[in-house]
PDB file of all heavy atoms in Angstrom:
ATOM      1  N   ALA A 621      99.746-143.189  40.253  1.00 88.00           N
ATOM      2  CA  ALA A 621     100.023-144.612  40.436  1.00 88.00           C
ATOM      3  C   ALA A 621      99.318-145.445  39.374  1.00 88.00           C
ATOM      4  O   ALA A 621      98.420-144.968  38.665  1.00 88.00           O
ATOM      5  CB  ALA A 621      99.589-145.045  41.827  1.00 88.00           C
ATOM      6  N   GLU A 622      99.747-146.727  39.287  1.00 85.00           N
ATOM      7  CA  GLU A 622      99.172-147.700  38.351  1.00 85.00           C
ATOM      8  C   GLU A 622      99.185-147.180  36.920  1.00 85.00           C
ATOM      9  O   GLU A 622      98.248-147.399  36.148  1.00 85.00           O
ATOM     10  CB  GLU A 622      97.748-148.069  38.793  1.00 85.00           C
ATOM     11  CG  GLU A 622      97.709-148.719  40.173  1.00 85.00           C
ATOM     12  CD  GLU A 622      96.299-149.054  40.635  1.00 85.00           C
ATOM     13  OE1 GLU A 622      95.336-148.745  39.893  1.00 85.00           O
ATOM     14  OE2 GLU A 622      96.160-149.606  41.740  1.00 85.00           O
ATOM     15  N   VAL A 623     100.265-146.484  36.590  1.00 86.00           N
ATOM     16  CA  VAL A 623     100.426-145.953  35.225  1.00 86.00           C
ATOM     17  C   VAL A 623     101.200-146.964  34.405  1.00 86.00           C
ATOM     18  O   VAL A 623     102.318-147.364  34.777  1.00 86.00           O
ATOM     19  CB  VAL A 623     101.187-144.604  35.251  1.00 86.00           C
ATOM     20  CG1 VAL A 623     101.362-144.079  33.827  1.00 86.00           C
ATOM     21  CG2 VAL A 623     100.450-143.595  36.115  1.00 86.00           C
ATOM     22  N   LEU A 624     100.620-147.399  33.295  1.00 79.00           N
ATOM     23  CA  LEU A 624     101.307-148.354  32.427  1.00 79.00           C
ATOM     24  C   LEU A 624     102.537-147.702  31.802  1.00 79.00           C
ATOM     25  O   LEU A 624     102.591-146.473  31.653  1.00 79.00           O
ATOM     26  CB  LEU A 624     100.348-148.835  31.331  1.00 79.00           C
ATOM     27  CG  LEU A 624      99.109-149.615  31.816  1.00 79.00           C
ATOM     28  CD1 LEU A 624      98.198-149.924  30.647  1.00 79.00           C
ATOM     29  CD2 LEU A 624      99.534-150.895  32.523  1.00 79.00           C
ATOM     30  N   PRO A 625     103.554-148.523  31.421  1.00 70.00           N
ATOM     31  CA  PRO A 625     104.787-147.939  30.854  1.00 70.00           C
ATOM     32  C   PRO A 625     104.531-146.948  29.733  1.00 70.00           C
ATOM     33  O   PRO A 625     105.153-145.891  29.670  1.00 70.00           O
ATOM     34  CB  PRO A 625     105.542-149.176  30.353  1.00 70.00           C
ATOM     35  CG  PRO A 625     105.093-150.271  31.268  1.00 70.00           C
ATOM     36  CD  PRO A 625     103.653-149.988  31.561  1.00 70.00           C
ATOM     37  N   GLY A 626     103.609-147.255  28.850  1.00 74.00           N
ATOM     38  CA  GLY A 626     103.326-146.353  27.737  1.00 74.00           C
ATOM     39  C   GLY A 626     102.537-145.126  28.142  1.00 74.00           C
ATOM     40  O   GLY A 626     102.405-144.182  27.356  1.00 74.00           O
ATOM     41  N   GLY A 627     101.990-145.131  29.369  1.00 85.00           N
ATOM     42  CA  GLY A 627     101.152-144.020  29.800  1.00 85.00           C
ATOM     43  C   GLY A 627     101.893-142.902  30.507  1.00 85.00           C
ATOM     44  O   GLY A 627     101.312-141.851  30.781  1.00 85.00           O
ATOM     45  N   LYS A 628     103.175-143.106  30.802  1.00 88.00           N
ATOM     46  CA  LYS A 628     103.935-142.064  31.510  1.00 88.00           C
ATOM     47  C   LYS A 628     104.050-140.802  30.672  1.00 88.00           C
ATOM     48  O   LYS A 628     103.928-139.683  31.183  1.00 88.00           O
ATOM     49  CB  LYS A 628     105.320-142.590  31.896  1.00 88.00           C
ATOM     50  CG  LYS A 628     105.283-143.642  32.997  1.00 88.00           C
ATOM     51  CD  LYS A 628     106.670-144.046  33.446  1.00 88.00           C
ATOM     52  CE  LYS A 628     106.606-145.061  34.582  1.00 88.00           C
ATOM     53  NZ  LYS A 628     107.950-145.459  35.064  1.00 88.00           N
ATOM     54  N   ALA A 629     104.279-140.970  29.376  1.00 88.00           N
ATOM     55  CA  ALA A 629     104.373-139.803  28.491  1.00 88.00           C
ATOM     56  C   ALA A 629     103.044-139.066  28.433  1.00 88.00           C
ATOM     57  O   ALA A 629     103.007-137.825  28.375  1.00 88.00           O
ATOM     58  CB  ALA A 629     104.817-140.226  27.094  1.00 88.00           C
ATOM     59  N   ASP A 630     101.940-139.812  28.471  1.00 91.00           N
ATOM     60  CA  ASP A 630     100.613-139.175  28.453  1.00 91.00           C
ATOM     61  C   ASP A 630     100.383-138.360  29.719  1.00 91.00           C
ATOM     62  O   ASP A 630      99.786-137.272  29.662  1.00 91.00           O
ATOM     63  CB  ASP A 630      99.516-140.244  28.312  1.00 91.00           C
ATOM     64  CG  ASP A 630      99.556-140.934  26.957  1.00 91.00           C
ATOM     65  OD1 ASP A 630     100.010-140.288  25.990  1.00 91.00           O
ATOM     66  OD2 ASP A 630      99.158-142.107  26.883  1.00 91.00           O
ATOM     67  N   GLU A 631     100.824-138.889  30.856  1.00 92.00           N
ATOM     68  CA  GLU A 631     100.664-138.148  32.112  1.00 92.00           C
ATOM     69  C   GLU A 631     101.480-136.853  32.087  1.00 92.00           C
ATOM     70  O   GLU A 631     101.038-135.811  32.569  1.00 92.00           O
ATOM     71  CB  GLU A 631     101.096-139.014  33.299  1.00 92.00           C
ATOM     72  CG  GLU A 631     100.216-140.220  33.551  1.00 92.00           C
ATOM     73  CD  GLU A 631      98.799-139.837  33.945  1.00 92.00           C
ATOM     74  OE1 GLU A 631      98.609-138.739  34.495  1.00 92.00           O
ATOM     75  OE2 GLU A 631      97.877-140.642  33.704  1.00 92.00           O
TER      76      GLU A 631
END
Side-chain angles (χ1 to χ4, degrees):
E622 299 178 358
V623 179
L624 297 175
K628 290 185 178 181
D630 293 332
E631 294 296 334

